[in-house]
PDB file of all heavy atoms in Angstrom:
ATOM      1  N   PRO S 123      32.137   4.850   6.696  1.00 88.00           N
ATOM      2  CA  PRO S 123      31.518   5.586   5.592  1.00 88.00           C
ATOM      3  C   PRO S 123      30.045   5.884   5.866  1.00 88.00           C
ATOM      4  O   PRO S 123      29.364   5.113   6.544  1.00 88.00           O
ATOM      5  CB  PRO S 123      31.643   4.644   4.395  1.00 88.00           C
ATOM      6  CG  PRO S 123      32.475   3.506   4.831  1.00 88.00           C
ATOM      7  CD  PRO S 123      32.597   3.532   6.312  1.00 88.00           C
ATOM      8  N   GLU S 124      29.582   7.000   5.328  1.00 87.00           N
ATOM      9  CA  GLU S 124      28.163   7.309   5.436  1.00 87.00           C
ATOM     10  C   GLU S 124      27.373   6.257   4.660  1.00 87.00           C
ATOM     11  O   GLU S 124      27.848   5.727   3.668  1.00 87.00           O
ATOM     12  CB  GLU S 124      27.882   8.699   4.879  1.00 87.00           C
ATOM     13  CG  GLU S 124      28.489   9.802   5.717  1.00 87.00           C
ATOM     14  CD  GLU S 124      28.233  11.178   5.138  1.00 87.00           C
ATOM     15  OE1 GLU S 124      27.565  11.285   4.089  1.00 87.00           O
ATOM     16  OE2 GLU S 124      28.718  12.137   5.738  1.00 87.00           O
ATOM     17  N   ILE S 125      26.191   5.993   5.121  1.00 90.00           N
ATOM     18  CA  ILE S 125      25.359   4.991   4.472  1.00 90.00           C
ATOM     19  C   ILE S 125      24.927   5.493   3.094  1.00 90.00           C
ATOM     20  O   ILE S 125      24.583   6.666   2.931  1.00 90.00           O
ATOM     21  CB  ILE S 125      24.144   4.627   5.365  1.00 90.00           C
ATOM     22  CG1 ILE S 125      23.433   3.396   4.826  1.00 90.00           C
ATOM     23  CG2 ILE S 125      23.216   5.825   5.532  1.00 90.00           C
ATOM     24  CD1 ILE S 125      22.417   2.804   5.794  1.00 90.00           C
ATOM     25  N   ASP S 126      24.971   4.613   2.108  1.00 91.00           N
ATOM     26  CA  ASP S 126      24.561   4.987   0.759  1.00 91.00           C
ATOM     27  C   ASP S 126      23.045   4.850   0.626  1.00 91.00           C
ATOM     28  O   ASP S 126      22.394   4.175   1.425  1.00 91.00           O
ATOM     29  CB  ASP S 126      25.281   4.117  -0.279  1.00 91.00           C
ATOM     30  CG  ASP S 126      24.964   2.650  -0.094  1.00 91.00           C
ATOM     31  OD1 ASP S 126      25.652   1.984   0.708  1.00 91.00           O
ATOM     32  OD2 ASP S 126      24.002   2.175  -0.729  1.00 91.00           O
ATOM     33  N   GLN S 127      22.497   5.491  -0.382  1.00 91.00           N
ATOM     34  CA  GLN S 127      21.047   5.521  -0.586  1.00 91.00           C
ATOM     35  C   GLN S 127      20.449   4.114  -0.719  1.00 91.00           C
ATOM     36  O   GLN S 127      19.418   3.822  -0.130  1.00 91.00           O
ATOM     37  CB  GLN S 127      20.705   6.343  -1.835  1.00 91.00           C
ATOM     38  CG  GLN S 127      19.214   6.415  -2.140  1.00 91.00           C
ATOM     39  CD  GLN S 127      18.443   7.214  -1.125  1.00 91.00           C
ATOM     40  OE1 GLN S 127      18.882   8.285  -0.728  1.00 91.00           O
ATOM     41  NE2 GLN S 127      17.304   6.708  -0.677  1.00 91.00           N
ATOM     42  N   ALA S 128      21.107   3.250  -1.466  1.00 93.00           N
ATOM     43  CA  ALA S 128      20.565   1.900  -1.675  1.00 93.00           C
ATOM     44  C   ALA S 128      20.495   1.118  -0.360  1.00 93.00           C
ATOM     45  O   ALA S 128      19.482   0.467  -0.066  1.00 93.00           O
ATOM     46  CB  ALA S 128      21.416   1.147  -2.695  1.00 93.00           C
ATOM     47  N   SER S 129      21.550   1.192   0.445  1.00 93.00           N
ATOM     48  CA  SER S 129      21.558   0.478   1.733  1.00 93.00           C
ATOM     49  C   SER S 129      20.525   1.067   2.679  1.00 93.00           C
ATOM     50  O   SER S 129      19.807   0.336   3.368  1.00 93.00           O
ATOM     51  CB  SER S 129      22.947   0.555   2.372  1.00 93.00           C
ATOM     52  OG  SER S 129      23.885  -0.116   1.586  1.00 93.00           O
ATOM     53  N   TRP S 130      20.445   2.387   2.717  1.00 94.00           N
ATOM     54  CA  TRP S 130      19.463   3.027   3.593  1.00 94.00           C
ATOM     55  C   TRP S 130      18.055   2.615   3.191  1.00 94.00           C
ATOM     56  O   TRP S 130      17.239   2.241   4.045  1.00 94.00           O
ATOM     57  CB  TRP S 130      19.624   4.551   3.560  1.00 94.00           C
ATOM     58  CG  TRP S 130      18.640   5.193   4.473  1.00 94.00           C
ATOM     59  CD1 TRP S 130      18.786   5.421   5.801  1.00 94.00           C
ATOM     60  CD2 TRP S 130      17.316   5.608   4.129  1.00 94.00           C
ATOM     61  NE1 TRP S 130      17.628   5.962   6.310  1.00 94.00           N
ATOM     62  CE2 TRP S 130      16.719   6.093   5.306  1.00 94.00           C
ATOM     63  CE3 TRP S 130      16.584   5.623   2.957  1.00 94.00           C
ATOM     64  CZ2 TRP S 130      15.428   6.592   5.326  1.00 94.00           C
ATOM     65  CZ3 TRP S 130      15.288   6.113   2.985  1.00 94.00           C
ATOM     66  CH2 TRP S 130      14.722   6.596   4.165  1.00 94.00           C
ATOM     67  N   SER S 131      17.767   2.647   1.900  1.00 95.00           N
ATOM     68  CA  SER S 131      16.428   2.287   1.419  1.00 95.00           C
ATOM     69  C   SER S 131      16.100   0.832   1.744  1.00 95.00           C
ATOM     70  O   SER S 131      14.974   0.508   2.135  1.00 95.00           O
ATOM     71  CB  SER S 131      16.327   2.509  -0.092  1.00 95.00           C
ATOM     72  OG  SER S 131      16.465   3.874  -0.384  1.00 95.00           O
ATOM     73  N   ARG S 132      17.075  -0.023   1.592  1.00 95.00           N
ATOM     74  CA  ARG S 132      16.879  -1.447   1.890  1.00 95.00           C
ATOM     75  C   ARG S 132      16.593  -1.653   3.372  1.00 95.00           C
ATOM     76  O   ARG S 132      15.658  -2.385   3.745  1.00 95.00           O
ATOM     77  CB  ARG S 132      18.131  -2.203   1.471  1.00 95.00           C
ATOM     78  CG  ARG S 132      17.994  -3.682   1.400  1.00 95.00           C
ATOM     79  CD  ARG S 132      19.197  -4.273   0.715  1.00 95.00           C
ATOM     80  NE  ARG S 132      19.276  -5.705   0.934  1.00 95.00           N
ATOM     81  CZ  ARG S 132      20.339  -6.423   0.669  1.00 95.00           C
ATOM     82  NH1 ARG S 132      21.427  -5.866   0.176  1.00 95.00           N
ATOM     83  NH2 ARG S 132      20.333  -7.722   0.897  1.00 95.00           N
ATOM     84  N   LEU S 133      17.369  -1.012   4.238  1.00 96.00           N
ATOM     85  CA  LEU S 133      17.146  -1.130   5.680  1.00 96.00           C
ATOM     86  C   LEU S 133      15.804  -0.514   6.084  1.00 96.00           C
ATOM     87  O   LEU S 133      15.098  -1.049   6.950  1.00 96.00           O
ATOM     88  CB  LEU S 133      18.283  -0.480   6.459  1.00 96.00           C
ATOM     89  CG  LEU S 133      19.576  -1.275   6.516  1.00 96.00           C
ATOM     90  CD1 LEU S 133      20.709  -0.422   7.062  1.00 96.00           C
ATOM     91  CD2 LEU S 133      19.400  -2.538   7.345  1.00 96.00           C
ATOM     92  N   ARG S 134      15.450   0.603   5.474  1.00 96.00           N
ATOM     93  CA  ARG S 134      14.177   1.236   5.790  1.00 96.00           C
ATOM     94  C   ARG S 134      13.031   0.292   5.449  1.00 96.00           C
ATOM     95  O   ARG S 134      12.085   0.141   6.217  1.00 96.00           O
ATOM     96  CB  ARG S 134      14.000   2.555   5.044  1.00 96.00           C
ATOM     97  CG  ARG S 134      12.723   3.279   5.440  1.00 96.00           C
ATOM     98  CD  ARG S 134      12.512   4.519   4.578  1.00 96.00           C
ATOM     99  NE  ARG S 134      11.455   5.350   5.098  1.00 96.00           N
ATOM    100  CZ  ARG S 134      10.169   5.182   4.817  1.00 96.00           C
ATOM    101  NH1 ARG S 134       9.769   4.175   4.069  1.00 96.00           N
ATOM    102  NH2 ARG S 134       9.266   6.015   5.308  1.00 96.00           N
ATOM    103  N   CYS S 135      13.134  -0.367   4.326  1.00 96.00           N
ATOM    104  CA  CYS S 135      12.112  -1.328   3.911  1.00 96.00           C
ATOM    105  C   CYS S 135      12.036  -2.495   4.906  1.00 96.00           C
ATOM    106  O   CYS S 135      10.950  -2.939   5.276  1.00 96.00           O
ATOM    107  CB  CYS S 135      12.446  -1.823   2.510  1.00 96.00           C
ATOM    108  SG  CYS S 135      11.081  -2.630   1.694  1.00 96.00           S
ATOM    109  N   ILE S 136      13.177  -2.963   5.349  1.00 96.00           N
ATOM    110  CA  ILE S 136      13.239  -4.072   6.310  1.00 96.00           C
ATOM    111  C   ILE S 136      12.609  -3.677   7.643  1.00 96.00           C
ATOM    112  O   ILE S 136      11.873  -4.449   8.252  1.00 96.00           O
ATOM    113  CB  ILE S 136      14.700  -4.529   6.518  1.00 96.00           C
ATOM    114  CG1 ILE S 136      15.217  -5.232   5.262  1.00 96.00           C
ATOM    115  CG2 ILE S 136      14.843  -5.409   7.758  1.00 96.00           C
ATOM    116  CD1 ILE S 136      16.721  -5.443   5.237  1.00 96.00           C
ATOM    117  N   TYR S 137      12.886  -2.462   8.110  1.00 97.00           N
ATOM    118  CA  TYR S 137      12.475  -2.059   9.459  1.00 97.00           C
ATOM    119  C   TYR S 137      11.213  -1.196   9.527  1.00 97.00           C
ATOM    120  O   TYR S 137      10.754  -0.877  10.625  1.00 97.00           O
ATOM    121  CB  TYR S 137      13.616  -1.305  10.149  1.00 97.00           C
ATOM    122  CG  TYR S 137      14.691  -2.212  10.686  1.00 97.00           C
ATOM    123  CD1 TYR S 137      15.998  -2.102  10.234  1.00 97.00           C
ATOM    124  CD2 TYR S 137      14.418  -3.166  11.654  1.00 97.00           C
ATOM    125  CE1 TYR S 137      17.003  -2.925  10.735  1.00 97.00           C
ATOM    126  CE2 TYR S 137      15.399  -3.987  12.153  1.00 97.00           C
ATOM    127  CZ  TYR S 137      16.689  -3.863  11.693  1.00 97.00           C
ATOM    128  OH  TYR S 137      17.670  -4.677  12.186  1.00 97.00           O
ATOM    129  N   GLU S 138      10.632  -0.843   8.407  1.00 96.00           N
ATOM    130  CA  GLU S 138       9.488   0.074   8.432  1.00 96.00           C
ATOM    131  C   GLU S 138       8.345  -0.442   9.306  1.00 96.00           C
ATOM    132  O   GLU S 138       7.823   0.280  10.160  1.00 96.00           O
ATOM    133  CB  GLU S 138       8.996   0.340   7.015  1.00 96.00           C
ATOM    134  CG  GLU S 138       7.913   1.393   6.966  1.00 96.00           C
ATOM    135  CD  GLU S 138       7.640   1.882   5.565  1.00 96.00           C
ATOM    136  OE1 GLU S 138       7.963   1.167   4.592  1.00 96.00           O
ATOM    137  OE2 GLU S 138       7.106   2.990   5.451  1.00 96.00           O
ATOM    138  N   GLN S 139       7.958  -1.691   9.124  1.00 97.00           N
ATOM    139  CA  GLN S 139       6.864  -2.242   9.930  1.00 97.00           C
ATOM    140  C   GLN S 139       7.265  -2.365  11.401  1.00 97.00           C
ATOM    141  O   GLN S 139       6.434  -2.171  12.287  1.00 97.00           O
ATOM    142  CB  GLN S 139       6.422  -3.591   9.381  1.00 97.00           C
ATOM    143  CG  GLN S 139       5.660  -3.474   8.079  1.00 97.00           C
ATOM    144  CD  GLN S 139       5.162  -4.814   7.587  1.00 97.00           C
ATOM    145  OE1 GLN S 139       5.696  -5.858   7.965  1.00 97.00           O
ATOM    146  NE2 GLN S 139       4.149  -4.796   6.744  1.00 97.00           N
ATOM    147  N   GLU S 140       8.516  -2.703  11.655  1.00 97.00           N
ATOM    148  CA  GLU S 140       8.993  -2.806  13.043  1.00 97.00           C
ATOM    149  C   GLU S 140       8.888  -1.456  13.736  1.00 97.00           C
ATOM    150  O   GLU S 140       8.445  -1.368  14.887  1.00 97.00           O
ATOM    151  CB  GLU S 140      10.438  -3.314  13.067  1.00 97.00           C
ATOM    152  CG  GLU S 140      11.029  -3.421  14.455  1.00 97.00           C
ATOM    153  CD  GLU S 140      10.429  -4.530  15.312  1.00 97.00           C
ATOM    154  OE1 GLU S 140       9.793  -5.450  14.777  1.00 97.00           O
ATOM    155  OE2 GLU S 140      10.597  -4.468  16.535  1.00 97.00           O
ATOM    156  N   ILE S 141       9.293  -0.404  13.047  1.00 97.00           N
ATOM    157  CA  ILE S 141       9.212   0.943  13.624  1.00 97.00           C
ATOM    158  C   ILE S 141       7.757   1.319  13.866  1.00 97.00           C
ATOM    159  O   ILE S 141       7.418   1.860  14.930  1.00 97.00           O
ATOM    160  CB  ILE S 141       9.928   1.961  12.709  1.00 97.00           C
ATOM    161  CG1 ILE S 141      11.443   1.691  12.697  1.00 97.00           C
ATOM    162  CG2 ILE S 141       9.642   3.395  13.169  1.00 97.00           C
ATOM    163  CD1 ILE S 141      12.215   2.459  11.633  1.00 97.00           C
ATOM    164  N   ASP S 142       6.872   1.010  12.922  1.00 98.00           N
ATOM    165  CA  ASP S 142       5.443   1.288  13.106  1.00 98.00           C
ATOM    166  C   ASP S 142       4.880   0.536  14.310  1.00 98.00           C
ATOM    167  O   ASP S 142       4.120   1.091  15.106  1.00 98.00           O
ATOM    168  CB  ASP S 142       4.656   0.908  11.846  1.00 98.00           C
ATOM    169  CG  ASP S 142       4.937   1.835  10.670  1.00 98.00           C
ATOM    170  OD1 ASP S 142       5.471   2.944  10.874  1.00 98.00           O
ATOM    171  OD2 ASP S 142       4.626   1.419   9.523  1.00 98.00           O
ATOM    172  N   ARG S 143       5.243  -0.735  14.443  1.00 98.00           N
ATOM    173  CA  ARG S 143       4.771  -1.544  15.574  1.00 98.00           C
ATOM    174  C   ARG S 143       5.291  -0.991  16.905  1.00 98.00           C
ATOM    175  O   ARG S 143       4.575  -0.973  17.910  1.00 98.00           O
ATOM    176  CB  ARG S 143       5.192  -3.002  15.401  1.00 98.00           C
ATOM    177  CG  ARG S 143       4.463  -3.711  14.267  1.00 98.00           C
ATOM    178  CD  ARG S 143       4.970  -5.124  14.029  1.00 98.00           C
ATOM    179  NE  ARG S 143       4.827  -5.952  15.213  1.00 98.00           N
ATOM    180  CZ  ARG S 143       5.715  -6.856  15.597  1.00 98.00           C
ATOM    181  NH1 ARG S 143       6.816  -7.079  14.906  1.00 98.00           N
ATOM    182  NH2 ARG S 143       5.507  -7.570  16.680  1.00 98.00           N
ATOM    183  N   LEU S 144       6.544  -0.557  16.916  1.00 98.00           N
ATOM    184  CA  LEU S 144       7.126   0.004  18.132  1.00 98.00           C
ATOM    185  C   LEU S 144       6.440   1.315  18.513  1.00 98.00           C
ATOM    186  O   LEU S 144       6.177   1.565  19.695  1.00 98.00           O
ATOM    187  CB  LEU S 144       8.630   0.213  17.940  1.00 98.00           C
ATOM    188  CG  LEU S 144       9.423   0.598  19.174  1.00 98.00           C
ATOM    189  CD1 LEU S 144       9.367  -0.498  20.239  1.00 98.00           C
ATOM    190  CD2 LEU S 144      10.884   0.881  18.791  1.00 98.00           C
ATOM    191  N   GLN S 145       6.115   2.138  17.515  1.00 97.00           N
ATOM    192  CA  GLN S 145       5.382   3.382  17.783  1.00 97.00           C
ATOM    193  C   GLN S 145       4.055   3.088  18.462  1.00 97.00           C
ATOM    194  O   GLN S 145       3.689   3.750  19.437  1.00 97.00           O
ATOM    195  CB  GLN S 145       5.095   4.139  16.471  1.00 97.00           C
ATOM    196  CG  GLN S 145       6.271   4.851  15.895  1.00 97.00           C
ATOM    197  CD  GLN S 145       5.879   5.700  14.703  1.00 97.00           C
ATOM    198  OE1 GLN S 145       6.246   6.847  14.692  1.00 97.00           O
ATOM    199  NE2 GLN S 145       5.160   5.175  13.726  1.00 97.00           N
TER     200      GLN S 145
END
Side-chain angles (χ1 to χ4, degrees):
E124 292 179 1
I125 191 168
D126 60 274
Q127 179 68 44
S129 295
W130 181 86
S131 295
R132 194 169 165 193
L133 284 168
R134 184 186 191 274
C135 196
I136 290 167
Y137 282 120
E138 186 167 22
Q139 288 183 338
E140 179 70 18
I141 293 169
D142 290 343
R143 291 175 59 218
L144 189 62
Q145 284 187 130

